[in-house]
Amino acid sequence: MTTPYAQQVRERYLNHANPELAKPMENYMRNQFPFLGIKTPEREAILKEYLHEHGQPTSEQFDQVILDLWAMPEREFQNVAMSLLERYTKKAEADHIVLIEQLITTNSWWDTVDMLAGKLVGRLFHRFPELIPEYTERWMDSGNIWLIRSAILFQLGYKQKTDTQLLFDMIRRSNDSKEFFINKAIGWALRQYAKTDAQAVVEFVEATPLAPLSVREALKHIKR
């Protein structure tokens, strides 16, 4: 049974549905999910207004509200859930990773996974680095492309604090993949780290057999 909080959020958004916008949004996402047709600025404004009126979910109901929103068919509700999660990140405890892991593997596509991995997992692992060995190892061994992508991408915002040995190890363990979303993630992670240490990325790419897509993405902004 859906929590009253999540149901009220749903009703608020249903009142703003725009079928004319929904179809092109669905097409952009390759018809993986139905949409209400609410663009990001309006979606965030609706949530801000709702939070002003009702506040955030209590800590006791927070996880269930997130899961309820995540289970709703329209893609806007997964985005609303992530917005709530982002607001909660600073006070989240280490065991919050259990919820995020569940979300990564449910209703999965690049739009949610990249936000969950690149921002929420990254921030949580930064606060609780003791989680990194267990979860990255498990994700890399899972066979789940979205968990593997998350293990590769979680350091996107780390810059000088990037554990390059870990990043390069995650990539080496995935470099024979034929999966587009993994090869794209490899290139993206390397391209992002190249902003911090371009020479290290060039040397790694030259020494490592990578998919052409990964190489193109990794070296896209490096002048050679």
Side-chain angles (χ1 to χ4, degrees):
M1 184 175 179
T2 305
T3 55
Y5 189 101
Q7 186 58 41
Q8 289 169 6
V9 170
R10 178 173 180 79
E11 291 169 1
R12 181 70 61 95
Y13 278 89
L14 288 175
N15 290 333
H16 293 265
N18 186 334
E20 291 184 4
L21 291 177
K23 190 58 181 174
M25 294 169 79
E26 291 167 3
N27 290 341
Y28 177 70
M29 294 298 292
R30 298 186 182 180
N31 296 299
Q32 295 287 321
F33 311 95
F35 278 77
L36 293 175
I38 302 173
K39 293 186 176 181
T40 300
E42 184 182 5
R43 189 187 71 232
E44 288 297 314
I46 295 168
L47 179 60
K48 185 176 181 180
E49 179 184 72
Y50 184 85
L51 291 174
H52 179 73
E53 295 173 7
H54 300 279
Q56 292 197 53
T58 65
S59 56
E60 292 78 17
Q61 66 177 174
F62 184 85
D63 285 10
Q64 190 57 53
V65 168
I66 296 299
L67 290 171
D68 288 345
L69 290 169
W70 208 263
M72 293 177 184
E74 297 86 2
R75 197 57 163 172
E76 283 86 352
F77 294 114
Q78 283 96 60
N79 285 290
V80 171
M82 289 190 295
S83 292
L84 288 172
L85 280 164
E86 192 170 13
R87 287 169 165 82
Y88 187 75
T89 301
K90 289 184 179 179
K91 56 184 178 181
E93 297 299 328
D95 61 4
H96 203 58
I97 190 60
V98 176
L99 172 63
I100 296 177
E101 182 182 57
Q102 183 175 350
L103 301 181
I104 290 171
T105 56
T106 309
N107 286 329
S108 310
W109 198 241
W110 62 264
D111 59 325
T112 53
V113 171
D114 291 358
M115 172 65 172
L116 292 168
K119 288 194 174 181
L120 302 181
V121 174
R123 291 172 186 173
L124 201 65
F125 281 2
H126 180 69
R127 290 180 56 212
F128 303 102
E130 66 274 14
L131 296 173
I132 295 174
E134 175 187 352
Y135 279 88
T136 56
E137 189 66 25
R138 192 165 82 201
W139 292 355
M140 291 302 296
D141 289 340
S142 68
N144 182 293
I145 65 169
W146 303 112
L147 290 175
I148 295 170
R149 185 173 169 100
S150 297
I152 294 169
L153 293 180
F154 83 87
Q155 297 192 83
L156 280 177
Y158 281 25
K159 299 180 181 179
Q160 290 87 354
K161 295 181 180 179
T162 300
D163 182 338
T164 53
Q165 182 176 344
L166 177 63
L167 173 62
F168 292 165
D169 180 54
M170 299 292 99
I171 292 171
R172 288 190 192 98
R173 292 172 63 175
S174 310
N175 67 353
D176 61 348
S177 175
K178 303 295 189 258
E179 172 55 55
F180 170 84
F181 287 110
I182 292 178
N183 290 329
K184 187 80 169 180
I186 289 171
W188 184 15
L190 290 171
R191 185 175 76 242
Q192 190 71 10
Y193 184 59
K195 297 176 183 178
T196 299
D197 191 343
Q199 186 59 35
V201 170
V202 169
E203 291 175 359
F204 177 77
V205 169
E206 290 176 347
T208 309
L210 299 172
L213 170 62
S214 301
V215 174
R216 286 197 304 273
E217 290 292 319
L219 304 180
K220 184 178 286 186
H221 301 307
I222 295 177
K223 294 181 180 180
R224 293 178 291 166

